[in-house]
């Protein structure tokens, strides 16, 4: 005859253990090494981001060199200021890699405003020069050849600037449709010139050229802003990536809050896929942050929302991994108490080679096999969480008897286990509810016993 008694264990110390494990959520930060790793990785990303920008500015300079004498020097000055601003921003971002703070952002913002102010002053000078040149048209209205040459020069410069914006700058992202409207104005000026209306053609050509120049500056400034946002997003996500690597393994902390020497918490193993999902999500977020097509608002969202969310998820995965490892050892401790009790009250001895975790996996249920050598009867003690990550675990005492055992005796065994859990205090401090009866199971015959890998201690890794 066989019988099964179940004891529901309400872990009154669970919450103390949980509090201990919750400290794992504060992911370990080896600050000097973490800072060095984040800094190196961020600097590499900054260099990659600025490399195409610097190449683009070089090509712009080559285009500006093809402008007429009237406009070349003015645009060369603008190009020089944009290049200086880009170089300064590049250097500042490299120097602050790994530690950007609000005061750094404010300083970079002040530099941007200063550069914009200087460029705006130059724009005002260009427009004043343009107004003076427009007045000269009256001086050579009678000289149609000279008037036509002047207009054609401005139109050629305007087309050159339009091609520069079209070929080198992401105008569709920052100013959709604006270039098409300016090209249409160039076409209108060309029609006026073809009709001999050089005064009207000159005014439109000059204004369009300056608006194209303004558009170039505006787009570059927006790109500088995107570079800063990209740096901050990449930096925040690289930090999560480094923190995840830093916390792949953690020291094992016992219920007494002391580090258990010689053991490590394998977060990858005990988190059961949660850690890997955080790493995968972080990698995907980093790919978006590094994508030159990602806009400023999305980059700020990655910095301000996604990176903190991923770090919280990492902490929660580490916490749950630690809790699962603690409860795994808890199941072994409970099995020891039950086995000792049954040895005292019914003379059952542990069969170590048939005891252990299901399939040798310490994340699963623990089963201890006990045998009474005199009668040949056996008992299996099954200990598992009531549900995944539940604050309750269940102890089942399953009797495999070759003879008939009275129901009262089966209950006495369960009661003895219950009292042992109450009176011995259970090393990790549990309270057990009264035992509950379950339907009996057939007696396993020789060679039919369930097989469990031996090993009664949580390996801790």
């Amino acid at each position: 005859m066989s019988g099964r008694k179940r004891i529901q264990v309400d872990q009154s110390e669970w919450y103390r253990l949980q509090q201990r494990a919750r400290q794992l959520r504060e992911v370990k930060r080896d600050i000097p090494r973490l800072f060095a790793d984040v800094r190196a990785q961020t600097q590499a990303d900054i260099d990659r981001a600025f490399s195409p920008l610097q190449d683009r500015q070089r090509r712009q300079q080559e285009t500006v060199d093809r402008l007429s004498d009237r406009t070349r020097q003015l645009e060369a000055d603008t190009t020089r200021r944009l290049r200086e601003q880009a170089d300064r921003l590049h250097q500042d971002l490299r120097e602050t890699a790994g530690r950007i703070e609000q005061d750094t952002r404010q300083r970079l913002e002040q530099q941007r405003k200063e550069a914009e102010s200087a460029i705006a002053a130059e724009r005002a000078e260009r427009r004043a020069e343009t107004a003076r040149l427009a007045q000269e048209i009256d001086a050579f209205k009678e000289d149609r050849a000279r008037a036509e040459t002047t207009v054609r020069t401005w139109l050629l410069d305007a087309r050159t600037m339009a091609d520069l914006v079209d070929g080198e700058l992401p105008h569709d992202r920052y100013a959709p449709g604006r270039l098409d409207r300016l090209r249409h104005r160039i076409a209108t000026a060309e029609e006026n010139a073809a009709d001999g209306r050089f005064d009207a053609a000159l005014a439109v050509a000059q204004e369009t050229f300056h608006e194209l120049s303004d558009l170039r500056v505006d787009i570059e400034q927006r790109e500088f802003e995107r570079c800063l946002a990209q740096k901050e997003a990449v930096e925040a996500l690289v930090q999560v990536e480094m923190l995840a690597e830093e916390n792949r393994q953690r020291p094992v902390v016992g219920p007494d809050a002391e580090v258990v020497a010689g053991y490590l918490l394998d977060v990858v193993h005990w988190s059961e896929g949660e850690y890997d999902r955080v790493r995968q999500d972080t990698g995907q977020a980093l790919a978006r942050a590094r994508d030159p097509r990602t806009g400023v608002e999305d980059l700020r969202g990655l910095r301000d929302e996604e990176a903190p969310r991923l770090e919280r998820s990492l902490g929660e995965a580490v916490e749950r991994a630690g809790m699962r490892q603690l409860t795994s050892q808890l199941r072994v401790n409970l099995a020891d108490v039950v086995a000792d009790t049954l040895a005292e009250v019914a003379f059952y001895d542990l069969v170590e080679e048939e005891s252990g975790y299901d399939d040798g996996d310490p994340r699963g249920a623990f089963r201890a096999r006990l045998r009474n050598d005199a009668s040949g009867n056996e008992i299996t003690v099954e200990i598992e969480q009531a549900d995944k990550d539940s604050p309750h675990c269940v102890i089942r005492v399953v009797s495999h008897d070759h003879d008939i055992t009275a129901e009262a005796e089966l209950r006495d065994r369960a009661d003895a286990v219950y009292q042992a859990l109450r009176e011995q205090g259970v090393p990790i401090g549990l309270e057990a509810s009264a035992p509950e009866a379950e339907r009996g199971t057939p007696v396993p015959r020789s060679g039919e016993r369930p097989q469990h890998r031996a090993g009664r201690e949580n390996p801790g890794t």
Side-chain angles (χ1 to χ4, degrees), residues 16-117:
R16 186 170 71 86
L17 289 177
Q18 194 174 50
Q19 186 67 29
R20 186 68 217 156
R22 187 170 291 119
Q23 295 180 18
L24 294 170
R25 183 182 295 185
E26 299 302 320
V27 290
K28 184 178 65 173
R29 298 170 182 267
D30 184 345
I31 296 298
R33 189 177 71 185
L34 180 68
F35 171 76
D37 290 345
V38 172
R39 179 181 178 84
Q41 183 66 63
T42 305
Q43 285 180 334
D45 276 288
I46 291 169
D47 291 342
R48 281 193 294 270
F50 272 84
S51 180
L53 187 150
Q54 291 165 340
D55 290 341
R56 183 172 70 236
Q57 288 186 333
R58 186 183 64 253
R59 292 192 297 271
Q60 288 186 55
Q61 181 61 59
E62 293 172 354
T63 300
V64 168
D65 289 341
R66 298 199 300 270
L67 294 172
S68 67
D69 292 341
R70 288 183 183 276
T71 58
R72 184 170 54 246
Q73 185 57 50
L74 295 173
E75 290 305 312
D77 289 343
T78 299
T79 301
R80 174 181 56 79
R81 287 191 178 277
L82 290 172
R83 184 172 59 250
E84 290 173 351
Q85 185 181 359
D87 291 343
R88 187 166 62 251
L89 179 61
H90 184 190
Q91 184 64 29
D92 286 341
L93 294 183
R94 289 190 100 262
E95 290 176 354
T96 59
R99 57 180 176 84
I100 192 155
E101 298 173 351
Q102 186 61 37
D103 60 342
T104 306
R105 295 192 188 104
Q106 292 173 351
R107 179 166 57 85
L108 294 175
E109 175 66 14
Q110 182 60 34
Q111 290 178 0
R112 182 187 65 80
K113 290 180 178 179
E114 290 173 357
E116 287 183 346
S117 177

Side-chain angles (χ1 to χ4, degrees), residues 218-325:
D218 291 342
I219 293 173
E220 287 286 25
Q221 293 294 339
R222 298 285 294 276
E223 271 293 274
F224 294 157
E225 182 182 14
R226 197 196 70 82
C227 285
L228 173 58
Q230 182 179 44
K231 182 262 186 183
E232 292 183 319
V234 167
E235 182 176 270
L237 291 164
V238 165
Q239 178 167 292
V240 176
E241 189 175 59
M242 297 295 180
L243 283 172
E245 185 61 31
E246 186 82 10
N247 286 271
R248 287 179 68 91
Q249 292 186 326
R250 297 287 297 269
V252 172
V253 180
D256 58 358
E258 295 295 326
V259 173
V260 181
Y263 292 99
L264 289 173
L265 167 64
D266 185 341
V267 175
V268 179
H269 176 76
W270 288 97
S271 70
E272 301 184 46
E274 295 177 25
Y275 173 90
D276 290 333
R277 284 193 292 275
V278 172
R279 290 298 301 265
Q280 181 180 7
D281 291 347
T282 302
Q284 292 172 349
L286 259 174
R288 295 203 307 275
R290 288 168 172 154
D291 189 336
R293 296 169 296 181
T294 303
V296 171
E297 291 306 314
D298 288 339
L299 289 168
R300 288 173 178 165
L302 289 171
R303 178 196 70 192
D304 297 335
E305 299 173 13
E306 186 67 359
R309 183 192 71 80
L310 288 167
E311 186 168 335
R312 287 194 301 271
S313 296
L314 173 63
E316 290 165 359
V318 173
E319 177 190 0
R320 280 192 286 269
M323 199 66 210
R324 288 166 188 164
Q325 189 188 50

